[in-house]
Amino acid sequence: MIEVAGIALSDDLLPRWVDWLAPDRQPFYVTARQAAEWDLPVSDEEPDPQLRDTYHSYAVDGRLRCAWLPERAFSAFPRKVRAGLVRAQVVHERGAVPVVRAWRGVLGEAIRVQADGHRFVWWKSLLRDPEVLLPRIVSGEIGVSRHAEVGADVWRGAERLLPRARELAGTFPEGSGPNCFGTVMAAAGIEGAESLWMQREPFDRWLDESTTRGGRDGVPGTVLVWRSADRAVQHAAVTLGAGWVLHKPSQSWMTPRKVRTAAEVLRATRTAGWRLQRHTLQR
């Protein structure tokens, strides 16, 4: 059994991770001028939810053109073009463009000559040992879940208010979409919420119906809610008791439903303009 971030990974999930990190065709975002100069086959094709999160396509300027290239086509370009393509992804804030120096010792010279010698992109040819590489790639993004450190007495104490928390803690989703709001609602007993890309409005309605304002971090059932200056909810987590917190950092396929201490979660979610509210679950 392979462990990623302290979580046992199912056998069928690893091959899907390979496809989501290094699809047979991947998007390269370029300006119209770059597309013409490099003779790229641009299209209006949109990434699916998994690739959207791999490549952070929601952060890319919508005015750019997108060229979907397989590895063979990418590798056939002169090195100058490959270097320009990869540098453009960094400039345009596309994801999954790692630094050569961080991986050269593991992957060898192939990544140094792939593009400009400083950055590279993932292809399946680089992922011949996914059992070794994928845990390192994903763990580097998310940190370790500490659910195994939570005592049996804590889980028992949380069960009345959070009947599904233990079931969900230390699990990866089946793909992109499931997020922090659905994780909190599912832990509190809302069936199916853990599989949804839960939106702000239904989460806020659930908060109004199921909680009262105020709460303490050291007891089970305190819903931690972060809001931006416009009062839109941005993130949520829920306390398990004894200083432990369950949350899912994002809607990405890479982020699990993990357990951290309250101090760790508060530190990780500190964002300019966000304010923290506390709500107490009612039964």
Side-chain angles (χ1 to χ4, degrees), residues 34-80:
Q34 289 168 333
E37 179 183 350
W38 297 329
D39 193 24
L40 299 176
V42 298
S43 80
D44 295 328
E45 181 181 347
E46 293 287 338
D48 67 20
Q50 284 69 232
L51 299 190
R52 174 202 66 206
D53 290 331
T54 298
Y55 298 116
H56 301 173
S57 62
Y58 36 73
V60 174
D61 189 332
R63 294 170 294 183
L64 294 171
R65 308 295 177 85
C66 182
W68 287 85
L69 299 175
E71 182 176 10
R72 177 178 292 184
F74 172 84
S75 300
F77 286 118
R79 188 174 182 186
K80 181 179 178 180

Side-chain angles (χ1 to χ4, degrees), residues 156-212:
R156 284 193 298 270
E159 190 171 3
R160 184 177 68 85
L161 293 172
L162 300 166
R164 299 188 62 210
R166 191 170 192 177
E167 166 197 344
L168 295 168
T171 62
F172 279 96
E174 292 299 304
S176 284
N179 61 3
C180 59
F181 307 141
T183 295
V184 171
M185 294 170 66
I190 305 300
E191 290 292 333
E194 75 279 9
S195 301
L196 300 177
W197 191 0
M198 188 65 65
Q199 301 300 304
R200 291 183 172 103
E201 292 78 7
F203 178 73
D204 271 331
R205 285 197 299 271
W206 175 81
L207 269 182
D208 288 342
E209 295 167 358
S210 306
T211 70
T212 56

Side-chain angles (χ1 to χ4, degrees), residues 80-155:
K80 181 179 178 180
V81 174
R82 299 198 307 271
L85 268 172
V86 171
R87 283 197 298 268
Q89 305 322 294
V90 178
V91 170
H92 300 322
E93 301 185 75
R94 197 206 83 166
V97 194
V99 178
V100 166
R101 67 175 176 272
W103 289 95
R104 186 177 176 183
V106 178
L107 299 174
E109 291 297 305
I111 59 171
R112 190 181 66 81
V113 300
Q114 186 200 88
D116 65 355
H118 301 291
R119 296 275 190 160
F120 70 99
V121 295
W122 293 106
W123 296 109
K124 284 190 173 68
S125 60
L126 297 174
L127 296 173
R128 293 194 180 96
D129 297 311
E131 298 86 354
V132 175
L133 294 174
L134 265 296
R136 174 174 167 174
I137 293 165
V138 174
S139 296
E141 293 283 334
I142 62 174
V144 174
S145 175
R146 301 177 63 182
H147 57 282
E149 299 177 43
V150 180
D153 57 332
V154 176
W155 290 119

Side-chain angles (χ1 to χ4, degrees), residues 242-263:
W244 296 109
V245 170
L246 171 69
H247 79 139
K248 189 175 189 299
S250 76
Q251 83 293 330
S252 172
W253 59 270
M254 279 194 188
T255 60
R257 307 168 188 102
K258 65 178 182 175
V259 174
R260 302 286 279 181
T261 67

Side-chain angles (χ1 to χ4, degrees), residues 2 4 9-19 130-131 134-135:
I2 300 167
V4 180
L9 194 68
S10 63
D11 292 338
D12 65 330
L13 201 50
L14 189 65
R16 281 184 277 162
W17 278 10
V18 171
D19 283 334
E131 298 86 354
L134 265 296

